[in-house]
Amino acid sequence: MFGAVSSAFLCGIKSVIVRVEADVSYGLPGFDMVGDLSSQVRESKERVRTAIKNSGISLPAKKTVINICPADIHKQGSSMDIAIAVAVLTAHDEIPGDALGDTVFVGELGLEGRINGINGVMAMVSAAKAQGYKRCIIPKDNISEGSVIDGITVYGAETLGQVVAFLKGEDLIEPTKCCAQEIFEEETGRTGEDFSDINGQTVLKRACEIAAAGMHNLLMIGPPGSGKTMAARRIPGILPSITLKEAIEISSLYSVNGMLPGGKGLMAKRPFREVHHTVTKIAMIGGAGRAGEVSLADKGVLFLDEFPEFAREVLETLRQPMESGKISISRASNHVDYPARFMLVAAMNPCKCGYYPDLNKCNCTSSEIKRYLSKVSGPMLDRIDICTETSRVEYSDIVSTGKSESSEAIRSRVEAAHEIQRKRFAKYDYSFNSAMPSSHIRKYCVLDDRSSDYMKKAFDHLELSARTYNKTLKVARTIADLEAAENISLDHLREALLFRGLDKKYIERQA
Ligand SMILES: [Zn+2]
């Protein structure tokens, strides 16, 4: 007697659809599982046997063999438990097996027969849909994320007994309605933290706008309490509005990590990941079926506060995703690419106490300042496009009642600048000024004679390197795009250079 059903497991962040076959025959009673399975998958035989018994179904003692194919992929996780149980019950003729060809079963079984929630359901349901399946039976705990995928009928089940009754036609499980659009509209319509909350700090806000407009990396240097974190948190809100497709891609990653906000199946906002400086390399880049911080920040902002405190080894790992927009993780059996297209925003105090160069307040010795700043190495600074200073909040800013510009107003300018860049780079494999290779800089960042002279002086004065020279031109291009100007003017260049002198003022002079 034979039974087969479809299931899915997570391989990195991708879901792989598998076929679970069960064969039941006379012979020495036993339960064997084959098909390149991890120990976690093998343990499922104990869960399945006990769950079937505790669901009130008694099966005759027979020889049972489970095969999960394709055999050439290493299977892991507990998401195939319910499918194994259904395949076994089908082979025993407890469930009619003829109507299961269009259904994917995922869920972990508890010993009492309960179906426990699992990570990555969203990816599994979309893989099932992509392969033409009509129905998905998933844990009830995961129903909100399962119902985000349109075009496939999703049922949330609580127990194995309920699934058996449903498949026998004795009981009904209501299919869930796809509600992605509704959640998306509700969530994106909700206003969050807004730039209008920040009074004063015009230079800082301008730096954030330019950074968002060209997807440039940003470093903020300033004393504690000067609004660095406040500003960073508001940057996702001035990036172009998220689309439903992007929201599903982001949510799918959070689903893999089991990090979707409770009750909601959809992350409808650009991510903002604030990472503590004690973060490990693995937590930063991900691995072993978990997305790292660089991927959780995909399509949003990765914020590193206290930048000099991060381990150099951790910062080094950012190089690959910053260049390619993805992170490749190789394991013995599998190779997985995780998306990691984020905007890096870093913040730091100018010294250990935080008040340098205010010599009335800073009590650091010059060697302490030197040691503190030297933690930020040249190669790290090389990756920063825009460096800005935040100043102490003034009394007039606090008492000011005039509302500052809203995030929405800033966002509309950023969106327009993005559109210009998309058109300009349509035939290339990148979309933003920040990603322009140096051969294209000569083509798209042409300076007139006056600007060239100015740049030459600045180059000597600020002791720019070839790399920082290029970065300055890219930022100037973005400033011009914000004004929809075809050519970079002297004013655009001057402003771009303002964001370059600071790393020198604070860091290079000390080094
Ligand atoms: Zn100090």
Side-chain angles (χ1 to χ4, degrees):
M1 288 177 288
F2 178 81
V5 294
S6 296
S7 186
F9 75 99
L10 275 184
C11 176
I13 53 163
K14 291 214 170 60
S15 164
V16 179
I17 300 284
V18 293
R19 184 174 142 91
V20 178
E21 300 172 339
D23 184 78
V24 177
S25 58
Y26 292 102
L28 275 182
F31 200 115
D32 286 319
M33 293 180 66
V34 296
D36 195 359
L37 312 175
S38 72
S39 58
Q40 211 181 357
V41 182
R42 288 177 187 285
E43 283 167 3
S44 106
K45 77 176 179 194
E46 299 304 334
R47 293 191 293 270
V48 167
R49 270 207 296 216
T50 318
I52 290 177
K53 190 187 77 193
N54 288 342
S55 301
I57 305 167
S58 62
L59 298 177
K62 284 186 181 170
K63 180 180 162 64
T64 305
V65 178
I66 302 289
N67 176 38
I68 307 182
C69 48
D72 60 346
I73 308 174
H74 186 64
K75 286 129 208 124
Q76 47 212 347
S78 54
S79 61
M80 295 165 284
D81 282 7
I82 179 80
I84 295 168
V86 170
V88 168
L89 292 170
T90 313
H92 277 277
D93 262 343
E94 288 286 330
I95 297 172
D98 45 354
L100 302 182
D102 62 352
T103 311
V104 170
F105 296 83
V106 291
E108 179 191 283
L109 279 176
L111 294 182
E112 77 284 31
R114 198 188 123 73
I115 302 174
N116 299 325
I118 49 170
N119 290 346
V121 164
M122 194 180 281
M124 293 174 186
V125 176
S126 39
K129 180 196 162 188
Q131 294 199 16
Y133 287 91
K134 298 275 182 296
R135 300 192 294 177
C136 240
I137 296 187
I138 66 169
K140 185 128 195 218
D141 294 350
N142 298 115
I143 200 69
S144 52
E145 52 177 299
S147 59
V148 161
I149 309 295
D150 202 2
I152 183 163
T153 314
V154 177
Y155 300 87
E158 271 173 298
T159 62
L160 176 62
Q162 199 185 4
V163 174
V164 172
F166 173 64
L167 296 175
K168 284 164 120 174
E170 292 167 359
D171 199 3
L172 208 67
I173 306 177
E174 276 297 314
T176 46
K177 250 181 60 201
C178 172
C179 48
Q181 193 66 40
E182 285 92 346
I183 306 175
F184 180 70
E185 276 162 23
E186 190 185 315
E187 286 294 305
T188 44
R190 194 168 295 170
T191 50
E193 292 168 318
D194 200 286
F195 263 102
S196 61
D197 307 334
I198 304 177
N199 289 329
Q201 299 287 14
T202 30
V203 177
L204 172 63
K205 285 191 225 169
R206 174 72 176 158
C208 292
E209 176 176 341
I210 298 167
M215 294 305 275
H216 297 287
N217 300 312
L218 172 70
L219 171 64
M220 301 180 274
I221 305 177
S226 56
K228 298 181 296 245
T229 308
M230 244 180 124
R233 288 209 176 112
R234 282 157 179 78
I235 292 176
I238 59 169
L239 288 170
S241 306
I242 194 171
T243 63
L244 177 57
K245 184 171 168 277
E246 286 178 315
I248 291 175
E249 284 168 17
I250 295 169
S251 309
S252 191
L253 267 174
Y254 279 71
S255 153
V256 166
N257 276 22
M259 286 171 66
L260 279 176
K264 266 182 261 156
L266 200 65
M267 303 260 306
K269 291 222 162 22
R270 287 192 186 275
F272 175 81
R273 296 297 299 173
E274 183 170 350
V275 183
H276 193 257
H277 60 76
T278 54
V279 66
T280 62
K281 204 170 138 184
I282 291 289
M284 189 62 121
I285 61 170
R290 272 189 80 78
E293 291 295 343
V294 292
S295 301
L296 294 172
D298 182 50
K299 303 179 176 64
V301 169
L302 181 70
F303 179 49
L304 310 184
D305 200 2
E306 301 188 56
F307 195 45
E309 303 291 339
F310 280 80
R312 197 159 288 196
E313 175 200 56
V314 170
L315 292 177
E316 279 306 307
T317 60
L318 296 178
R319 192 193 294 245
Q320 191 213 352
M322 282 172 75
E323 275 161 19
S324 62
K326 65 180 181 192
I327 186 114
S328 305
I329 296 171
S330 290
R331 297 251 138 204
S333 51
N334 304 314
H335 173 94
V336 195
D337 279 343
Y338 290 66
R341 204 168 285 284
F342 55 85
M343 186 178 147
L344 178 73
V345 178
M348 62 186 278
N349 293 338
C351 67
K352 219 169 152 196
C353 80
Y355 294 102
Y356 177 81
D358 182 348
L359 297 178
N360 293 323
K361 289 177 96 178
C362 175
N363 49 26
C364 303
T365 65
S366 65
S367 68
E368 273 173 344
I369 296 175
K370 197 168 165 178
R371 203 173 327 120
Y372 182 80
L373 293 174
S374 67
K375 288 190 195 169
V376 186
S377 69
M380 266 180 235
L381 274 185
D382 270 357
R383 273 168 238 159
I384 300 291
D385 295 355
I386 297 179
C387 187
T388 187
E389 201 174 9
T390 62
S391 47
R392 208 172 65 87
V393 178
E394 301 290 337
Y395 179 72
S396 58
D397 292 335
I398 297 171
V399 296
S400 155
T401 49
K403 207 63 170 142
S404 326
E405 198 178 27
S406 71
S407 288
E408 198 185 341
I410 304 172
R411 187 171 63 233
S412 64
R413 292 195 294 270
V414 169
E415 277 174 344
H418 277 217
E419 201 43 46
I420 291 173
Q421 294 168 71
R422 275 217 185 80
K423 281 198 187 123
R424 178 187 304 137
F425 303 128
K427 52 183 179 214
Y428 307 120
D429 59 352
Y430 64 94
S431 321
F432 299 107
N433 291 334
S434 52
M436 224 187 306
S438 41
S439 56
H440 290 176
I441 291 176
R442 256 168 264 135
K443 184 170 174 193
Y444 296 112
C445 305
V446 181
L447 298 180
D448 59 21
D449 289 347
R450 224 156 55 104
S451 304
S452 290
D453 286 346
Y454 190 85
M455 188 61 170
K456 188 181 173 303
K457 280 185 208 131
F459 186 86
D460 294 336
H461 182 68
L462 295 172
E463 293 169 35
L464 298 181
S465 64
R467 200 185 279 256
T468 47
Y469 169 82
N470 282 343
K471 284 197 182 295
T472 307
L473 288 179
K474 290 185 204 179
V475 173
R477 181 66 263 170
T478 302
I479 295 170
D481 287 340
L482 274 168
E483 286 177 13
E486 196 172 326
N487 297 313
I488 298 173
S489 75
L490 183 55
D491 284 345
H492 302 146
L493 181 66
R494 274 201 187 120
E495 188 174 9
L497 281 163
L498 284 182
F499 296 117
R500 201 68 254 175
L502 283 168
D503 45 356
K504 185 176 166 59
K505 167 177 163 187
Y506 283 104
I507 295 153
E508 285 169 26
R509 191 172 65 186
Q510 297 292 329

